[in-house]
Amino acid sequence: MFTQEQIQALLNVLPERKEDAINAPELARALGYSSLPNQEELRALIRQAIRENHLIGSDNSGYWLINSLDELEDILDSLERRAKRTCDRRNHLLNAWNEKYPDNLSIKISKDVN
């Protein structure tokens, strides 16, 4: 759990325009976190900030503060596509297991993201 001061530090560093997005390694360094691949602590901070209703967008270029409905909807569409691909991969693994091991079927059911 991060403090409100840590969240505020994140918000202070994030640019207000998508065009000025800051990539994860740079953002991690600016906040004093590890800039090694995955930046797990930074990602946890961002997830908490979003759960606390801060509008943080991201794409391949980096992170920024969402400031328009168009940006928000682009991010929502991107997250939905990613969730669908993850769910599709899950379903393929489930089906492959059940086909390969019909005597040891998983009781999990296929999921779908609409």
Side-chain angles (χ1 to χ4, degrees), residues 24-39:
E26 290 177 24
L27 184 55
R29 280 191 296 275
L31 294 170
Y33 298 123
S34 171
S35 61
L36 295 175
N38 294 335
Q39 299 87 25

Side-chain angles (χ1 to χ4, degrees), residues 69-83:
L69 181 58
D70 285 341
E71 281 184 1
L72 172 67
E73 290 179 349
D74 286 347
I75 295 299
L76 295 176
D77 290 344
S78 173
L79 289 170
E80 186 174 338
R81 284 189 302 274
R82 194 174 342 156

Side-chain angles (χ1 to χ4, degrees), residues 1 14 18 21 35 45 60-61 65 71 76 85 88 94-95 102 104 110:
M1 187 71 117
L14 289 173
K18 179 179 179 178
S35 61
L45 173 62
N60 292 337
S61 64
L65 297 172
E71 281 184 1
L76 295 176
R85 287 190 304 266
D88 288 347
L94 173 63
N95 292 337
N104 190 19
S110 290

Side-chain angles (χ1 to χ4, degrees), residues 8-16 22 26-27 30-31 63 65:
Q8 190 58 54
L10 168 66
L11 299 174
N12 290 343
V13 173
L14 289 173
E16 294 189 9
I22 182 171
E26 290 177 24
L27 184 55
L31 294 170
Y63 297 91
L65 297 172

Side-chain angles (χ1 to χ4, degrees), residues 11-108:
L11 299 174
N12 290 343
V13 173
L14 289 173
E16 294 189 9
R17 296 175 355 135
K18 179 179 179 178
E19 296 78 21
D20 299 325
I22 182 171
N23 67 40
E26 290 177 24
L27 184 55
R29 280 191 296 275
L31 294 170
Y33 298 123
S34 171
S35 61
L36 295 175
N38 294 335
Q39 299 87 25
E40 292 179 27
E41 191 172 17
L42 173 63
R43 292 176 192 277
L45 173 62
I46 292 167
R47 283 191 302 271
Q48 181 177 331
I50 291 170
R51 280 192 309 272
E52 293 182 11
N53 298 324
H54 296 287
L55 298 168
I56 300 171
S58 66
D59 65 12
N60 292 337
S61 64
Y63 297 91
W64 71 95
L65 297 172
I66 298 170
N67 60 23
S68 74
L69 181 58
D70 285 341
E71 281 184 1
L72 172 67
E73 290 179 349
D74 286 347
I75 295 299
L76 295 176
D77 290 344
S78 173
L79 289 170
E80 186 174 338
R81 284 189 302 274
R82 194 174 342 156
K84 181 169 179 10
R85 287 190 304 266
T86 299
C87 195
D88 288 347
R89 189 170 65 233
R90 176 201 180 276
N91 291 339
H92 287 297
L93 285 169
L94 173 63
N95 292 337
W97 175 271
N98 286 340
E99 286 178 21
K100 187 170 184 175
Y101 302 103
D103 295 332
N104 190 19
L105 296 176
S106 171
I107 61 169
K108 301 285 186 180

